[in-house]
Amino acid sequence: MAAAVPAAGLPALSGRASAAPAAGALPGGGDLGPNVLVFGPATPNIQGTLDEIFKRQESAQFGEGRFALLFKPGTYRGLNAQIGFYTSIAGLGLSSGDTTFHGDVTVDAGWFNGNATQNFWRSAENLTLHPVNGTNRWAVAQAAPFRRMHIKGGLNLAPDGYGWASGGYIADSRIDGTVGPYSQQQWYTRDSSVGGWTNAVWNMVFSGVEGAPAQSFPDPPYTTLDTTPVSREKPFLYLDGADYKVFLPEKRTNARGTTWGSGTPRGESLPLGQFYVAKPGVDAATLNAALAQGLNLLLTPGIYHLDRAVEVRRPNTVVLGLGYPTLVPDNGATAMKVADVDGVRLAGFLIDAGPVNSATLLEVGPEGASADHAANPTTVQDVFIRIGGAGPGKATTSIVINSNHTLIDHTWVWRADHGDGVGWETNRADYGVRVNGDDVLATGLFVEHFNKHDVEWRGERGRTVFFQNEKAYDAPNQAAIQNGDIKGYAAYKIADGVTTHEGWGLGSYCYYNVDPTIRQDHGFQAPAKPGVQLHHLLVVSLGGKGQYEHVINSIGAPTSGTSTVPSTVVSYP
C-alpha cells in the first residue's frame, strides 16, 4: 500500500520549526504534512473542505486516505463535520471549551444502508458542540473514540432510522443532555458526565461517570462502577499561542468525572521540538534513530511500512498518531516493541498485519519483564490492530503485554471478517491479546474473531472494565475450533494458575455463519479460586448461527434458537 495522496488545494499545517539539529541528528518539530488540515475561525470555505474529505472517506473502509482535521481555538458557526473512515477531528485548545462549534460533528451510516456496525476508525476530541437541533449524532462501531468532548445538548449513538450499531467508547467527556444509545449493542463510558442515559441492548458499562444509571444488570444491562481504578487520559496536540505542544495528562486513581471540569487539566506539556514528526515513507531505521536520539514520535497521517520493529527503549517516551497513521510490518516483523521502562505512552495509531506471519504485532515489555511501574505505568490508548481486510495479513499473537501495571485504555484488536484477504487460514491469527504482566488494567477491551483465544490472561491481579468480543465467523466446522476436550476456545481465558483477577461487564457473541451447527462450550474460562471474580457476563448467539452451551466454565444457561437473547451470569463464582 502506498502513502495517502495529499489533498490538492486543502490547507496544510505549517507550525514553527525547532532550532537546527546538530550535524547528523534528526530534527525535531516542523511541518505536519499535507494530510493534517488546520482551520481557524477565519479560514475560508471550511464546510467545503470538510465535505470534500468526507466524500473521499465516507465509504473508504479499506482505503489509503488518512486525515486529521484540527481546529484552532475560537468559535465556528454553521458547520456539520461529517466524519468518515480514518478521519480524526480535534480542537487545538488545552481544554475542550477553547474550540466551540455551533454545529455538529456527525457520524451516520447512509453509505451502508443505515447499518452502523462497520463505522470503524474515526475519532472526535477536544471540542465543545452546540448541536443545531439539540442532539449530535455519533453512530459508530469499534475503534471510534469520543474523548474530551463537551456536548451542550444530547448525544444520539444510533444511525438515522435506528439501524444496527455496535460501538463504542466515550472518555473524559461531558454530555449536558441525554445520551441515547438506542440500537447500540454495547458501549463503554469512562470518567465522564452525562445528563441522562436512555435505553440499553446487551451491555452498557460505566466507570467514573457522573449521572450514570444505577447498576442493574441484566435488566436493564447496566454495569456501573463509581470510579475507574486507574486512568491517565490520552496525550493530545494543542496550540500554546503560535506554538504546537503535546499535553500529557497526569495519572488519576479512583477517578470520576472529566479532567477539565474544574479548570485547566493537570499534567505536563512537551514542545513539538521534542518530537520527530514522521511522514509516510520514513523507514523503521529512521524512527529508531529518532528515538535513540531522545526524541518522541509524532506519526502524521498515512501508511508506514516497517522492515523491523520500532524500538521504544527510553522511559516516558510518547508515540502519538494523528489521523490513524497505519504501521504495516513487512516480512514477518513485529511493528513495535517497548522496553520494560516507566511511563511510555502509545496512542492513536493502527497496526495492520502484513502478508508474512508476524509472531507478534505489539510487545509491551520483553518476556520476563518484572519491574514495578505502579507510579508511572505504560499506557496503550486508541491503538488498534487489524489482521486482514485491507489485504492478506497474519499474526500469531497481536498484542503481548509483559510489563507490569500497563494500562490498556481502549483498543480494538480485530481479525477481519470481511474485506480482502479474509479466510480461516488466509488471515490466520490465533490469539488477540495475551497478558503476562501483573497488575494490568484494561478499560475498554474490544477483541474479535481470533482463531483460538481472543484474550488469554496469565498475569496476576489483572482487571478488565468492559470487554466486547465476537468469535470468528468463518470456522469451517466443529473440529477446526476443538480445544482438547473443550468445544471451542473461550473468548476470554484466565489461566489456570492465576489466583486473583476481576472483570466487569464482559460479553462474547457467536455468529458461525459457515457452519451454524457449531457448539461453543463457553465464552469465558476461569479457574475456580476465591480471588477470581467476574461480574456481569453475557453470551449471545446472533440469529442462531452457532450456540454457546454455557456462559463461563459450566455455569450459565445455553443460548438457543434464533432469538438472539443473551444468556447471563451476574456474578462468578
Side-chain angles (χ1 to χ4, degrees):
M1 291 180 286
V5 177
L10 298 177
L13 168 63
S14 87
R16 287 190 181 175
S18 55
L26 292 165
D31 184 84
L32 295 189
N35 285 22
V36 176
L37 312 180
V38 175
F39 305 92
T43 301
N45 194 28
I46 296 175
Q47 188 66 56
T49 302
L50 296 175
D51 291 346
E52 172 62 23
I53 298 296
F54 180 64
K55 182 179 178 181
R56 297 179 188 206
Q57 300 303 114
E58 179 182 13
S59 58
Q61 180 171 181
F62 299 109
E64 298 177 355
R66 304 285 187 274
F67 293 94
L69 312 175
L70 305 182
F71 286 80
K72 294 179 180 180
T75 300
Y76 301 78
R77 297 186 183 275
L79 295 181
N80 180 20
Q82 298 185 80
I83 306 300
F85 285 99
Y86 313 108
T87 304
S88 298
I89 187 169
L92 283 170
L94 188 55
S95 179
S96 63
D98 295 339
T99 307
T100 298
F101 278 24
H102 289 267
D104 295 82
V105 173
T106 301
V107 176
D108 207 344
W111 74 278
F112 200 46
N113 299 314
N115 179 347
T117 59
Q118 292 183 23
N119 281 349
F120 313 137
W121 306 306
R122 62 199 76 199
S123 66
E125 299 186 39
N126 207 26
L127 296 166
T128 291
L129 305 182
H130 295 259
V132 169
N133 69 355
T135 300
N136 190 78
R137 186 185 303 278
W138 185 255
V140 297
Q142 290 82 357
F146 198 79
R147 292 181 179 269
R148 229 168 34 261
M149 297 287 286
H150 187 182
I151 310 300
K152 300 270 194 165
L155 185 63
N156 184 342
L157 303 178
D160 187 28
Y162 301 98
W164 292 340
S166 181
Y169 175 92
I170 293 170
D172 201 23
S173 294
R174 178 177 174 181
I175 294 90
D176 293 348
T178 297
V179 180
Y182 302 111
S183 54
Q184 282 286 355
Q185 295 166 355
Q186 68 279 316
W187 199 277
Y188 175 50
T189 308
R190 178 182 63 70
D191 299 351
S192 294
S193 173
V194 298
W197 192 279
T198 182
N199 199 63
V201 177
W202 295 334
N203 193 28
M204 299 284 150
V205 179
F206 309 83
S207 67
V209 178
E210 297 166 348
Q215 185 161 295
S216 56
F217 185 92
D219 186 21
Y222 294 138
T223 296
T224 303
L225 284 68
D226 190 57
T227 61
T228 303
V230 183
S231 62
R232 189 172 68 187
E233 299 303 332
K234 176 178 172 287
F236 61 93
L237 187 71
Y238 76 102
L239 272 173
D240 182 6
D243 296 319
Y244 287 89
K245 295 182 177 179
V246 172
F247 189 75
L248 307 178
E250 70 175 12
K251 186 186 73 143
R252 299 197 291 169
T253 56
N254 298 318
R256 182 172 172 83
T258 68
T259 62
W260 47 267
S262 56
T264 303
R266 296 169 62 91
E268 61 176 319
S269 293
L270 298 178
L272 193 62
Q274 292 184 20
F275 286 79
Y276 176 70
V277 180
K279 309 281 175 47
V282 70
D283 60 12
T286 303
L287 296 174
N288 285 330
L291 290 166
Q293 194 178 302
L295 292 170
N296 303 289
L297 297 182
L298 189 70
L299 304 174
T300 65
I303 297 172
Y304 298 72
H305 282 268
L306 306 174
D307 64 350
R308 69 195 77 172
V310 176
E311 301 265 4
V312 181
R313 298 174 176 172
R314 179 173 50 84
N316 302 309
T317 299
V318 180
V319 180
L320 176 61
L322 301 177
Y324 286 85
T326 302
L327 310 180
V328 182
D330 293 327
N331 302 317
T334 296
M336 188 173 292
K337 296 182 179 182
V338 180
D340 192 26
V341 296
D342 272 357
V344 172
R345 304 185 196 224
L346 309 179
F349 55 90
L350 172 64
I351 298 175
D352 202 354
V356 178
N357 185 73
S358 295
T360 59
L361 294 173
L362 171 63
E363 296 178 16
V364 178
E367 186 176 351
S370 59
D372 186 316
H373 304 293
N376 187 13
T378 286
T379 47
V380 181
Q381 299 178 285
D382 301 349
V383 173
F384 307 118
I385 306 289
R386 181 173 67 201
I387 302 99
K394 293 185 178 182
T396 303
T397 307
S398 291
I399 296 180
V400 179
I401 305 291
N402 292 315
S403 286
N404 299 330
H405 302 98
T406 299
L407 294 179
I408 306 169
D409 177 44
H410 190 226
T411 188
W412 184 40
V413 183
W414 186 58
R415 175 180 168 266
D417 60 275
H418 62 272
D420 293 332
V422 170
W424 184 248
E425 297 295 343
T426 306
N427 61 330
R428 181 86 196 185
D430 283 352
Y431 305 102
V433 177
R434 180 171 283 160
V435 179
N436 298 317
D438 293 337
D439 301 287
V440 172
L441 171 65
T443 53
L445 185 61
F446 299 73
V447 189
E448 297 191 298
H449 305 149
F450 286 83
N451 295 74
K452 293 185 178 179
H453 293 299
D454 299 273
V455 172
E456 193 172 18
W457 209 296
R458 299 170 171 177
E460 285 289 352
R461 296 176 299 281
R463 291 175 291 182
T464 295
V465 184
F466 182 88
F467 170 69
Q468 187 266 328
N469 165 264
E470 285 181 346
K471 294 302 300 173
Y473 292 0
D474 55 349
N477 49 51
Q478 187 77 47
I481 62 162
Q482 194 67 19
N483 179 18
D485 60 357
I486 297 173
K487 290 181 284 197
Y489 288 79
Y492 189 105
K493 180 186 177 182
I494 303 166
D496 292 344
V498 170
T499 61
T500 306
H501 187 96
E502 195 161 12
W504 299 263
L506 315 176
S508 177
Y509 322 147
C510 73
Y511 184 71
Y512 288 117
N513 61 342
V514 175
D515 181 358
T517 69
I518 288 176
R519 310 291 294 190
Q520 174 97 17
D521 265 347
H522 44 236
F524 302 89
Q525 184 178 346
K529 297 178 181 175
V532 177
Q533 300 182 27
L534 300 174
H535 316 278
H536 302 177
L537 309 171
L538 68 142
V539 296
V540 183
S541 168
L542 304 180
K545 305 291 188 184
Q547 302 288 347
Y548 292 90
E549 305 280 7
H550 303 284
V551 179
I552 178 168
N553 298 349
S554 59
I555 299 168
T559 56
S560 61
T562 60
S563 58
T564 314
V565 173
S567 293
T568 62
V569 168
V570 173
S571 185
Y572 171 87

